[in-house]
């Protein structure tokens, strides 16, 4: 799968809802309930970061939830990409981009959403064929001001900014022409996940969906 097609597929996913929940889940037992609540709240695209030992099992469980599109975040290596796809991930997200990772995702037909925060990084991604990128870490890298600045010379690139974004700050990002959606971790706080408070999470998901 070429980077061009990967970006087309990821852009289509990013257009499904204004927010992609970024999930760090420590217990796969919670996976199905969490995914069900998020999908019910209108957020069908889920990013499970590979930051916990349970992450691959979480992806396996979430991939079973009807209506959901589960991807793997923090994909850094070809091995990460392969294990994520084998677990059922339908896309991958990386904080950056290397040619090795790009080749690996192309070889296994796993759409990659690579990260870029500078014009040079975005141009390099474009050179490889990507036009749908992650902007990370969004707030630390200048937030909406940086995205506006990059959008002027590179209007053909679209972004999903992630990192430090909240319900309050998301609308400013979503108002930018080069932003398709945002990634956010505020929707599923650890305490609610640990307690299985799916109603609270579904309520936050509905609030996030209303940002469109």
């Amino acid at each position: 799968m070429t980077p061009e097609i990967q970006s087309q597929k990821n852009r289509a996913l990013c257009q499904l809802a204004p927010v992609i929940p970024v999930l760090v889940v420590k217990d796969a037992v919670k996976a199905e309930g969490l995914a069900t609540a998020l999908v019910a709240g209108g957020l069908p695209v889920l990013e499970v970061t590979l930051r916990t030992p349970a992450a691959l099992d979480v992806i396996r469980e979430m991939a079973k939830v009807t209506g959901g599109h589960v991807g793997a975040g923090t994909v850094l290596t070809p091995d990460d990409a392969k294990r994520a796809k084998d677990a059922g991930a339908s896309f991958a997200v990386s904080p950056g981009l290397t040619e090795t990772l790009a080749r690996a995702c192309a070889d296994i037909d796993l759409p990659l959403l690579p990260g870029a925060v500078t014009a040079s990084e975005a141009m390099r991604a474009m050179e490889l064929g990507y036009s749908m990128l992650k902007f990370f870490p969004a707030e630390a890298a200048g937030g909406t001001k940086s995205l506006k600045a990059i959008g002027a010379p590179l209007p053909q690139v679209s972004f999903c900014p992630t990192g430090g974004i909240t319900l309050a700050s998301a609308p400013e990002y979503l108002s930018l022409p080069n932003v398709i959606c945002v990634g956010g971790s505020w929707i599923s706080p650890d305490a609610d996940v640990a307690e299985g408070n799916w109603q609270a999470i579904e309520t936050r998901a509905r609030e996030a969906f209303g940002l469109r």
Side-chain angles (χ1 to χ4, degrees):
M1 184 186 296
T2 66
E4 291 84 357
I5 293 175
Q6 292 177 48
S7 282
Q8 289 173 15
K9 289 182 176 295
N10 279 331
R11 183 176 286 104
L13 286 178
C14 288
Q15 290 171 336
L16 291 178
V19 180
I20 295 178
V22 179
L23 309 170
V24 181
V25 185
K26 301 174 183 178
D27 185 355
V29 171
K30 307 293 185 180
E32 182 179 1
L34 175 57
T36 299
L38 292 168
V39 172
L43 306 183
V45 185
L46 314 175
E47 177 189 338
V48 178
T49 62
L50 301 184
R51 301 181 191 177
T52 71
L56 293 173
D57 288 331
V58 170
I59 291 172
R60 287 189 186 92
E61 293 305 311
M62 287 191 172
K64 300 174 185 177
V65 174
T66 302
H69 305 272
V70 184
T74 323
V75 173
L76 307 178
T77 67
D79 184 58
D80 287 342
K82 182 180 185 305
R83 290 186 299 124
K85 181 165 186 184
D86 289 345
S90 57
F91 64 96
V93 184
S94 177
L97 178 62
T98 67
E99 290 189 26
T100 301
L101 183 59
R103 284 196 301 270
C105 288
D107 288 344
I108 63 174
D109 292 335
L110 182 65
L112 175 66
L113 183 66
V117 291
T118 66
S120 293
E121 290 173 353
M123 289 169 63
R124 179 56 180 152
M126 291 169 58
E127 194 173 77
L128 293 175
Y130 294 96
S131 61
M132 182 69 221
L133 305 176
K134 173 181 179 175
F135 185 79
F136 174 85
E139 286 290 283
T144 55
K145 290 183 179 179
S146 290
L147 278 164
K148 287 178 184 177
I150 288 177
L154 302 174
Q156 62 272 61
V157 180
S158 300
F159 290 94
C160 170
T162 301
I165 298 174
T166 66
L167 180 65
S169 63
E172 186 176 359
Y173 283 93
L174 293 168
S175 70
L176 300 178
N178 58 342
V179 171
I180 305 297
C181 67
V182 301
S185 59
W186 80 86
I187 300 165
S188 56
D190 290 344
D192 282 344
V193 174
E195 295 170 8
N197 192 351
W198 309 135
Q199 186 56 56
I201 289 172
E202 182 178 338
T203 297
R204 288 193 199 90
R206 291 188 186 281
E207 288 178 332
F209 178 77
L211 294 173
R212 182 180 291 282

